Amino acid sequence: MCIQKFLICAVYSVWLLLLLSAILIGNAPAEVPDEPTIAFATDVRKGVGIWFMTPEGENPRLVLEVGEDSLPSGLTWSFNGKQIAFHAELEGNIDVYVVDARGENLSRLTDHPGEDSWAAWHPEGERLAFSTNRDGNLEIYAMTSSGEALENITNDSVQDQYPSWSPDGRTIAFASKRGKTLGDIFVMDASGENVRNLTNVRGEDIQPKWSRDGNRIAWTSRRNGAGEIWSMEADGANPMKISDLQDPRAPGVRNRDVTWAPDGGRIASTAFGQGGVINIRIHPSDGNLEWQDLPAVGGEDRSPAWFDPTFVGAFSVSAAEKQPLTWGWLKLAGR
């Protein structure tokens, strides 16, 4: 009888613990967003910092609040959606920071009197590349995700900046003034070797971003003026205009800070309009020059970064074989 009572009590205790754990887990913030999400920075009075919203501009919510004079820039999701990297002047210098998707565990990765900015995640999440002028001119460095083991990848006498890691982890796209133009898009091996020029036109091409499948690169171009979005195949072929400075529906709107929808069908950007209006704009990626402005949250909605949990693991790097995984979209385990 004593043994029977003991077993009943033990089973009841385990059941109670499981129920309590389920309740706590259910009420805890998600480790990653469970729906398509655009992270962005804004200066709204209710909270200057990083906000989330849906790709339709709905359900805006503050995730990380910072000082009023320290608007984050260069937001970028880790491939697994657990962290966001950005740069900001939060502690005296412009440095690279990471924060988790719940807005917690803010970590300063760089600490240098120079400017460290425009971080880009390696698909495995263990390293980041970033722009820095700590050597007297802009270079691209790499470091671990904890800010250690800094390495100068470009090590060139001209300005190199705006790195973007390819989804297979083998290549980095970046902007450089190595050519005779004001700036071109280049790619290089992740080691900094085998540099190739993808654009070579008069004007400045900056801020390249890989599509999630690795087939195309979008970037900001000033070849026709202040700022248009273009995209091209990963080898530089078939360049295509995504936005038009001469669009009569919104003449003179400059676009930059591009980010791909994970499915490759759309591109978001920061749109700088007439009268100082700054907002998030969505463009189809097929070159038909349509667009949609998302509802304003603050006075300056900028630096969009697009995440979709459906695409976690897709076209990322296999740790075992260092080969891109192209066998379909993976649902986030444990979600």
Side-chain angles (χ1 to χ4, degrees), residues 4 14 28 35 42 108 139 168 194 212 217 220 258 263 277 292 300 307 325:
Q4 185 178 10
V14 170
E35 63 179 355
T42 192
R108 184 183 188 180
E139 301 277 12
D168 64 9
N194 194 23
R212 188 61 184 257
I217 297 172
T220 300
V258 298
D263 65 4
V277 177
Q292 176 190 2
E300 295 187 12
F307 173 74
L325 301 178

Side-chain angles (χ1 to χ4, degrees), residues 61-145:
R61 55 207 184 273
L62 178 64
V63 176
L64 175 69
E65 187 171 4
V66 300
E68 293 183 2
D69 299 323
S70 305
L71 191 63
S73 297
L75 276 60
T76 178
W77 288 94
S78 60
F79 276 56
N80 62 13
K82 293 183 178 181
Q83 291 180 296
I84 296 172
F86 64 94
H87 64 269
E89 190 175 356
L90 302 184
E91 301 173 78
N93 304 316
I94 297 178
D95 286 305
V96 175
Y97 292 80
V98 295
V99 65
D100 66 32
R102 295 166 293 196
E104 301 172 353
N105 300 314
L106 178 66
S107 177
R108 184 183 188 180
L109 298 190
T110 66
D111 183 3
H112 193 275
E115 294 186 7
D116 299 331
S117 59
W118 303 108
W121 289 94
H122 185 280
E124 289 181 331
E126 298 175 356
R127 302 181 74 205
L128 294 99
F130 65 99
S131 304
T132 179
N133 64 359
R134 62 180 61 205
D135 292 332
N137 71 299
L138 283 166
E139 301 277 12
I140 294 174
Y141 272 59
M143 61 182 170
T144 66
S145 57

Side-chain angles (χ1 to χ4, degrees), residues 1-334:
M1 181 64 69
C2 292
I3 296 177
Q4 185 178 10
K5 288 183 178 180
F6 173 78
L7 291 175
I8 292 173
C9 290
V11 170
Y12 178 78
S13 298
V14 170
W15 177 85
L16 186 60
L17 286 172
L18 290 174
L19 179 61
L20 181 60
S21 298
I23 293 173
L24 291 174
I25 292 173
N27 292 332
E31 188 176 21
V32 301
D34 58 4
E35 63 179 355
T37 300
I38 291 180
F40 65 103
T42 192
D43 62 350
V44 70
R45 290 182 181 179
K46 292 182 293 184
V48 178
I50 296 176
W51 286 62
F52 287 176
M53 62 181 169
T54 70
E56 293 72 38
E58 299 173 347
N59 190 25
R61 55 207 184 273
L62 178 64
V63 176
L64 175 69
E65 187 171 4
V66 300
E68 293 183 2
D69 299 323
S70 305
L71 191 63
S73 297
L75 276 60
T76 178
W77 288 94
S78 60
F79 276 56
N80 62 13
K82 293 183 178 181
Q83 291 180 296
I84 296 172
F86 64 94
H87 64 269
E89 190 175 356
L90 302 184
E91 301 173 78
N93 304 316
I94 297 178
D95 286 305
V96 175
Y97 292 80
V98 295
V99 65
D100 66 32
R102 295 166 293 196
E104 301 172 353
N105 300 314
L106 178 66
S107 177
R108 184 183 188 180
L109 298 190
T110 66
D111 183 3
H112 193 275
E115 294 186 7
D116 299 331
S117 59
W118 303 108
W121 289 94
H122 185 280
E124 289 181 331
E126 298 175 356
R127 302 181 74 205
L128 294 99
F130 65 99
S131 304
T132 179
N133 64 359
R134 62 180 61 205
D135 292 332
N137 71 299
L138 283 166
E139 301 277 12
I140 294 174
Y141 272 59
M143 61 182 170
T144 66
S145 57
S146 59
E148 300 174 329
L150 270 68
E151 175 189 4
N152 186 341
I153 298 178
T154 49
N155 197 21
D156 195 273
S157 61
V158 300
Q159 294 187 26
D160 302 312
Q161 57 184 327
Y162 301 116
S164 177
W165 228 305
S166 65
D168 64 9
R170 299 171 179 169
T171 308
I172 295 175
F174 65 104
S176 177
K177 295 189 176 181
R178 299 176 185 228
K180 297 179 181 179
T181 65
L182 295 177
D184 284 331
I185 304 301
F186 288 76
V187 293
M188 62 182 171
D189 295 347
S191 63
E193 301 174 333
N194 194 23
V195 177
R196 292 93 71 195
N197 187 346
L198 298 188
T199 65
N200 188 11
V201 298
R202 185 175 180 82
E204 186 179 43
D205 293 332
I206 59 173
Q207 295 184 318
K209 286 291 180 66
W210 290 87
S211 62
R212 188 61 184 257
D213 61 10
N215 290 332
R216 295 190 69 84
I217 297 172
W219 78 97
T220 300
S221 179
R222 295 174 179 166
R223 62 186 66 191
N224 294 324
E228 294 176 335
I229 300 173
W230 287 66
S231 77
M232 60 186 166
E233 295 180 15
D235 61 359
N238 299 319
M240 176 192 305
K241 185 187 292 189
I242 305 298
S243 71
D244 187 356
L245 273 170
Q246 307 304 320
D247 190 328
R249 297 165 297 177
V253 171
R254 298 167 289 125
N255 290 278
R256 57 180 297 157
D257 304 334
V258 298
T259 180
W260 288 87
D263 65 4
R266 290 174 290 172
I267 293 172
S269 71
T270 304
F272 296 81
Q274 300 292 343
V277 177
I278 301 174
N279 61 278
I280 307 300
R281 178 165 288 188
I282 307 295
H283 317 257
S285 62
D286 60 5
N288 70 14
L289 301 182
E290 294 296 325
W291 47 266
Q292 176 190 2
D293 286 339
L294 299 187
V297 174
E300 295 187 12
D301 297 350
R302 60 198 307 165
S303 297
W306 206 317
F307 173 74
D308 188 334
T310 306
F311 291 81
V312 169
F315 299 109
S316 63
V317 174
S318 164
E321 300 178 358
K322 302 297 181 184
Q323 297 293 325
L325 301 178
T326 57
W327 35 266
W329 312 124
L330 301 181
K331 292 290 185 181
L332 181 63

